Structures are given as C-alpha cells and as structure tokens.
Amino acid sequence: MTIKKTHNALIRPNRRLFLQGTAALAGASALAAPSIGRAQSKELYINSWGGPWLEAATENLFTPFTEATGIKVNTVSPVSFAKLAAQVRTGVYEFDVTTLGGGDIVAANNAGLLEPLEEPYPGGLFQNGVGSHAFATMMAWRTDKGWDETPQSWADFWDVERFPGGRSLQRYPARVLPLALLADGVAPEDLYPLDIDRAFAKLDEIKEHVRVWWTGGAQSTQILRDGEVDMIGIWHGRYFEAEDAGAPVAFTWNQAELDSAYWVVAKETPNMEAAKMFVDFATSAEPLAGFVAQANYGAMNPAADAFIPDSAKPRMPTAPGNVEMTFEQDMLNFGADPQEVAMRFDEWLAS
Amino acid sequence: MGLSLSALAERKTLWPWLLLAPLTIYLALFFLVPLVEVALMSVTEPRPGLANYEKVLTGSLYRKVFLNTFGTALLVTLCCLLVGYPLAYLMSTVSKRAAMGILLLITMSFWTSFLVRTYAWMVLLGNNGPVVWLMQTLGIAEPPPLLFTRFSSTLAMVHILAPYMIMNIYTVMQKIDPSLIRSAESMGAYGKSLFRHIYLPLTAPGIANGSVLVFVICLGFYVTPVLLGSPREQMAAGLIGNQIEQFLAFGLGSAMSIVLLVVTLVILGIYHRRFGLDKLYG
C-alpha cells in the first residue's frame, strides 16, 4: 500500500507535490526546508474559475478570510473535476477546496470524493456541498443582425428561419438537453425527468447551425463579443462581460436555466480544518453578499440578501422580477444516468 | 602499460553512461513510471480486464475519432511538405545571410506560445477579421465560414508544425554537394528528370525525418483543434481529455492513450526499418 502511494506521488507531479517531493528526497536541503514548514503552516489552496469570479472572490472572500484567520489563500487553475478525483485517488493534493455545479456534485459525491460537511445554514447542505451562489445559462444574441423581431425563448433560438445566423451552446449535455426540450414545447414544470430521446431529436434540428460547442467561460464571451456566432446559450456573468466591453448584444432572463455552485472540501485533504473554516466563511451572510453583488450571482444563503444593495439586483438571476422567468436544474431527478447521457452526447456530436 | 590501457578503455566505455545517468534516471522516474501506471490503469479501471480496449477498438465513436486523428495528421504532414519543401530549397540556394534571415523568421513563431498563435488565427479568420474583409472587398458578398472548420484547424496546425519540416529538409539540402548536380547536368539530366532522379532522392531523408516528426506531433494535438476546428472533427487527444475530465473514466482514457501510443510506435517502427531512427537526430 505504501509502495502504491509513493508510486502515485511520483507520477503526478505538480507544484505542491514537487515541494513535498523535494522535501522528502532532499530532506535537509536548504531549499526544501521552507516548504516543509509551509506544508503544515496555515495555507489553503483553492481551485479558481479565473475571470470575474476570481476578482470577486479575491476581494470579498479570500482577502477578508486571510485577515480574519491569518490563513493565506492560494489559488490553483483551472477548475478540474478530474483533478479532484485524482487527488483523492493518489493522496496528493493540489487544492483543498473547490466549487462544483449541480451536475458534477452528485457524481462527485457518489464517487466518494467529497468530505462530509455540516449544514451551515438551514437548507444549505446538498450532497456534501455548501450552497454558495446561483448562476444562469441564458439566451443572448447580437443586436447587429437586422432581425425584425427580438428572440424571446429557446424556441426562437431553434428558429433559424426567423433568426438566421450561427449558434453556440455549451458542450455540456446536462445543461443543454433541458433547453432542447423547452424549445420543443415542454413546459418548465414538466421538464424533469427529462425525455432524453426527445431532447436528442430536437438537438438534431439545430446541430448544423451550432458552430461552436463552447467549453470555457472566456471562450463563450469571446465568440459573442467578436460576433463569431449570433445567438448563444451563455452563463450570465460571462454575458455581462461582453455587454460591458461594449459589444452590441442583448439577452433575456426568460427560460434561463438556474444552476447552483457549491463549495466542497476534497476528501481527506491535509488542510481539512482550514478548508472547512473557509467554506463556512465563504457562505456566511456578509462575505457571500459582497461576492455575489460584485460578480452578479444569486446568493443561496438567504441571510445574505440583507447585505445586497438594490443596485446589484437587476443582474442577478435570483432577484425578484428575474427569478420568476427562470427554471431550475434538477439533477436528482434527471431521468437517466447523466454519465451515459454525456457519452451519448459525445457520440452524437461526432456523428 | 597494458593494464593502464585497458583501465582507460574501461573508463571510456563507462564515462558516457555516467554522463547519461541523470537523464536516464529523470526519464525513468517522470516518463516511464507514469507510462506504466497509465498502462496499468487501462486494464484495472474500473475493474480488471480488457473491457476498455474492447470499447476503444469496437466503439464507433472511438474508431471515427482515431481515423480522423490519423487523417488530420496525414493532411497536415502533406501540407507542411508542400509549403516547406520549396521554402527549404529557397533557403539552400540564397546567400548564407539571407538563409539566416529566413530561418530567423521561421523560428520566430516558435517563441510565441501555442495558445497565442491559435488565438491569432481566430482574429485573422474571424467574421470581423481581415480575411473576411478582403473577400468582401473583392466582391464575395457571403464569404464561406472559415473559422471552426477543418480548414481553420488544419491551417493553424500547418503553421505551427511547418518549421519542423523546413528545418529538417533544409539541413539535408544544405549538405548536398553542388558538384553532384553539375555532373548530373553534364550527363544530360535537366529540369524534371534532374529533380526526380537526383535531387529528390538526395533530399528524401529530410522529407522522411520532417514528415515523421510533424505526423507524430500532430497526433497529439489538443488545444488548436478544440478551439479552431469543427465540432464534428474531434482529435484523439481531445477525446482522451474528455473521458478523464468529464467522465472520470481514467481506465478508458488510459486505454485510448495506449492505443494511440502503440499505433505511433508502429509508425516509428516502420520508419526505422526503412530509414533508421538515428537519422532523426541529424
């Protein structure tokens, strides 16, 4: 067993492993000495989404947390679900804390990758993750296309006669399949469990018009801002980036798909105590309010609402007036094994 | 006397190995051990057996992606050859100074990161980019989509890989003895026949080296096809990444990696029997 561990430690080099490895191999070497101290000192490694997320998190969560506790926060990019799994398998940790969306957290918890946590506020615990913020996948489009009408719904997204032009969606079937069903006329309250075959049949209709299945947030902003596609299903935060950059774009909250992000602690991480402290801090009312207000997310801890200025609300998917138009993902009632659906989606994409 | 001579000989044979030891140890630790681990994972994850290989070798998606990967690598290699051969020839005929100038221009693209070069193509070929503008100015009202097609990803990969081809061919061309050409001419070989019977065979090692390098590197391309290519034309590296990142299917991803590796080794093996691998290093 110990052999296995060393073995694994050797094959997945990363910065922290390198430091620890150096320490183990070189022992008393002067270079390695500080890293031995560091491995046990008060430091925390957090997996970062980059972009506007990182700015808001640094200002409202990381810096105040360090001020309050003396624990230094380091960020690690990119966000990687696979790395979370690899860490737990190998016992070599690159990050202690990360955020997962509703789709991944169920899979991660089933795979035993998450440290059990306690409920920090009523209703705040889901699949061993603490609810942080809600974000939306919504429809946005270029306003310089000379269309006679304004798109209203996902049915319009599918309507390439009335709204000709290139399309883009995220390469993530758990988010895209519900949109196809809405476009096919299913009512939001009847979506789950999903009719998978019907969703794929509807996707067939739009396939040749989807020029990009985007895989990264920055990529989605770029193709909308530069006009590479004319209509896109995009995370709302990434949309506002394009709008703030002065691109001729518009969006609707109508039929926007709400997903939630949860803070999770990597199972058996050596920095467990600091990691749990951070998750509590990041989901407590005031820091969370500052974070969501800056990054336009919706706070999942209701106590945060009191600290959110009204001026921030128009851009929040969960604010009154917006939230009524949205619908929520329901991963526990998905209707099929999400992994199998994802494999089928990959095959569909290549065919 | 005899004793010390043999001691010297022994030192001579040992010395290169000692010098190589740090590299050998490094490669064994950071390359061989992980590779063995990948191979192990491919037959143990999620349960022991050959199920992963069965999936990779029989699944229609995997077959399609592998075929596409090798097809793309072949296409890119051919394009690099078409672009690289004349350029290398030009470099071998101009003055040393001019050749250095061209070489500098070619290697300059090496100093820019992959990602930046990929994004540069997005800007150039984009809907609001200079290429589309030029086509519109020339009277093409509805230019065909350039970005996110097989065309754009192939173009970018050729751009990134062409220097390998050019430098390999140039090295060989430079060494060709001009008197060989002159004597061929004196025997009555001109133009096409001079090229086909004399020059082309002399440059063949450069073509073979460059092609193998470009082909093998291209097999593992990841970012460029994902960002620039069409969604239907997936490369094996992208699919492997997906298996691991999205599905946590470490076993299946490992099996695909091993298949890709074995096929690449087979190609290198064929090359070795034909030309000798040692030629790759000049």
Side-chain angles (χ1 to χ4, degrees):
Chain A
M1 207 51 223
T2 33
I3 289 167
K4 174 102 175 134
K5 275 231 150 133
T6 336
H7 199 82
N8 281 328
L10 282 170
I11 61 149
R12 289 197 183 74
N14 60 51
R15 197 166 46 89
R16 288 176 77 192
L17 161 67
F18 182 72
L19 290 175
Q20 288 157 7
T22 324
L25 290 170
S29 135
L31 257 177
S35 73
I36 298 172
R38 248 167 75 184
Q40 288 150 359
S41 80
K42 294 188 153 188
E43 267 194 271
L44 196 60
Y45 290 79
I46 296 177
N47 205 190
S48 156
W49 287 87
W53 183 96
L54 180 61
E55 277 171 45
T58 305
E59 199 167 310
N60 299 286
L61 306 178
F62 303 161
T63 310
F65 178 70
T66 306
E67 276 165 15
T69 60
I71 300 171
K72 196 177 163 234
V73 171
N74 304 291
T75 57
V76 180
S77 283
V79 165
S80 168
F81 185 37
K83 215 170 246 174
L84 178 70
Q87 293 190 133
V88 177
R89 290 159 59 101
T90 59
V92 179
Y93 290 82
E94 199 178 340
F95 55 80
D96 313 299
V97 179
T98 186
T99 43
L100 291 177
D104 286 341
I105 197 172
V106 177
N109 199 34
N110 286 341
L113 307 179
L114 307 180
E115 190 64 32
L117 297 174
E118 279 160 35
E119 187 175 82
Y121 59 88
L125 194 71
F126 175 74
Q127 302 276 312
N128 283 324
V130 177
S132 169
H133 56 275
F135 61 98
T137 299
M138 63 189 194
M139 187 168 78
W141 59 89
R142 300 279 298 187
T143 52
D144 56 357
K145 291 304 291 176
W147 295 331
D148 298 332
E149 304 159 83
T150 303
Q152 308 284 337
S153 65
W154 292 105
D156 291 346
F157 188 94
W158 255 252
D159 191 340
V160 289
E161 306 264 298
R162 276 161 66 221
F163 305 100
R167 303 291 200 265
S168 179
L169 288 165
Q170 188 183 4
R171 189 179 170 155
Y172 195 86
R175 290 202 185 105
V176 165
L177 264 51
L179 306 181
L181 289 173
L182 286 176
D184 207 25
V186 178
E189 58 273 19
D190 301 331
L191 271 179
Y192 291 95
L194 299 177
D195 183 340
I196 306 288
D197 291 333
R198 186 173 171 184
F200 273 104
K202 190 68 182 172
L203 279 175
D204 282 337
E205 291 175 22
I206 195 89
K207 187 175 181 187
E208 63 173 303
H209 302 281
V210 179
R211 299 197 56 215
V212 185
W213 293 90
W214 61 266
T215 49
Q219 183 195 11
S220 66
T221 307
Q222 185 251 327
I223 55 177
L224 177 65
R225 193 194 53 214
D226 296 349
E228 300 306 342
V229 295
D230 304 306
M231 233 192 251
I232 188 170
I234 189 172
W235 294 335
H236 75 283
R238 293 297 187 169
Y239 164 79
F240 288 121
E241 258 192 298
E243 189 184 293
D244 291 345
V249 291
F251 78 100
T252 178
W253 288 118
N254 192 39
Q255 297 188 333
E257 179 177 25
L258 282 189
D259 199 332
S260 309
Y262 301 86
W263 283 111
V264 297
V265 173
K267 183 126 187 158
E268 287 169 10
T269 177
N271 280 340
M272 184 96 66
E273 210 176 310
K276 286 183 174 172
M277 270 167 77
F278 175 79
V279 171
D280 276 348
F281 180 85
T283 50
S284 62
E286 233 181 311
L288 180 60
F291 172 66
V292 297
Q294 183 173 336
N296 304 317
Y297 292 120
M300 286 175 70
N301 183 352
D305 288 342
F307 299 95
I308 296 171
D310 281 342
S311 62
K313 286 180 179 163
R315 286 189 164 194
M316 286 185 176
T318 51
N322 300 338
V323 72
E324 296 81 359
M325 291 192 269
T326 65
F327 72 99
E328 247 182 280
Q329 263 203 337
D330 188 358
M331 284 313 293
L332 290 179
N333 193 21
F334 191 69
D337 176 4
Q339 299 282 43
E340 269 166 34
V341 171
M343 297 255 182
R344 178 172 168 186
F345 183 77
D346 260 10
E347 244 157 84
W348 174 82
L349 213 52
S351 62
Chain B
M1 197 63 192
L3 241 177
S4 72
L5 251 185
S6 79
L8 196 71
E10 197 170 294
R11 260 199 21 221
K12 258 193 181 157
T13 52
L14 260 180
W15 194 231
W17 292 109
L18 277 176
L19 280 175
L20 270 177
L23 184 69
T24 315
I25 293 169
Y26 177 85
L27 282 179
L29 279 183
F30 294 105
F31 186 73
L32 275 183
V33 172
L35 200 61
V36 169
E37 174 91 0
V38 168
L40 278 178
M41 262 198 292
S42 71
V43 289
T44 55
E45 292 278 335
R47 61 195 74 79
L50 293 173
N52 289 324
Y53 286 96
E54 195 190 320
K55 239 185 200 168
V56 173
L57 298 174
T58 57
S60 64
L61 171 68
Y62 308 109
R63 195 177 320 131
K64 194 171 228 155
V65 171
F66 272 109
L67 283 179
N68 181 60
T69 306
F70 287 103
T72 304
L74 199 64
L75 182 69
V76 168
T77 310
L78 282 176
C79 292
C80 282
L81 188 61
L82 285 177
V83 175
Y85 198 85
L87 197 61
Y89 179 71
L90 177 76
M91 282 166 68
S92 70
T93 50
V94 296
S95 70
K96 201 115 217 169
R97 248 194 124 109
M100 286 315 287
I102 299 173
L103 195 68
L104 192 74
L105 281 177
I106 292 166
T107 46
M108 227 154 69
S109 71
F110 268 133
W111 303 339
T112 321
S113 96
F114 262 61
L115 211 58
V116 171
R117 278 185 276 170
T118 301
Y119 271 102
W121 281 111
M122 290 179 106
V123 174
L124 286 173
L125 299 176
N127 278 343
N128 302 308
V131 178
V132 167
W133 175 83
L134 190 71
M135 285 162 94
Q136 282 165 339
T137 316
L138 292 175
I140 305 165
E142 290 245 346
L146 300 172
L147 215 49
F148 315 124
T149 59
R150 187 178 258 271
F151 168 75
S152 55
S153 61
T154 309
L155 186 64
M157 285 190 276
V158 168
H159 169 233
I160 291 169
L161 293 172
Y164 294 95
M165 184 69 91
I166 295 166
M167 286 195 276
N168 270 294
I169 298 179
Y170 172 63
T171 326
V172 173
M173 283 181 174
Q174 209 194 6
K175 284 185 200 151
I176 293 176
D177 186 349
S179 61
L180 281 173
I181 308 296
R182 277 200 301 275
S183 44
E185 277 168 344
S186 76
M187 306 273 194
Y190 292 104
K192 258 191 211 160
S193 118
L194 173 68
F195 178 74
R196 192 170 346 129
H197 297 296
I198 311 295
Y199 201 71
L200 190 62
L202 282 173
T203 52
I207 296 174
N209 292 347
S211 300
V212 163
L213 264 186
V214 169
F215 187 83
V216 169
I217 299 175
C218 194
L219 285 180
F221 257 54
Y222 185 81
V223 173
T224 308
V226 166
L227 285 178
L228 288 177
S230 129
R232 284 183 197 205
E233 278 129 26
Q234 297 184 53
M235 297 280 280
L239 195 64
I240 293 170
N242 238 359
Q243 297 304 323
I244 291 179
E245 186 57 48
Q246 211 182 331
F247 307 130
L248 305 182
F250 288 87
L252 195 57
S254 302
M256 291 174 68
S257 311
I258 296 292
V259 170
L260 189 61
L261 179 73
V262 167
V263 177
T264 310
L265 285 177
V266 167
I267 291 169
L268 279 177
I270 293 170
Y271 169 83
H272 180 59
R273 295 198 76 165
R274 188 89 178 69
F275 300 100
L277 258 188
D278 42 340
K279 289 230 178 75
L280 267 187
Y281 312 105

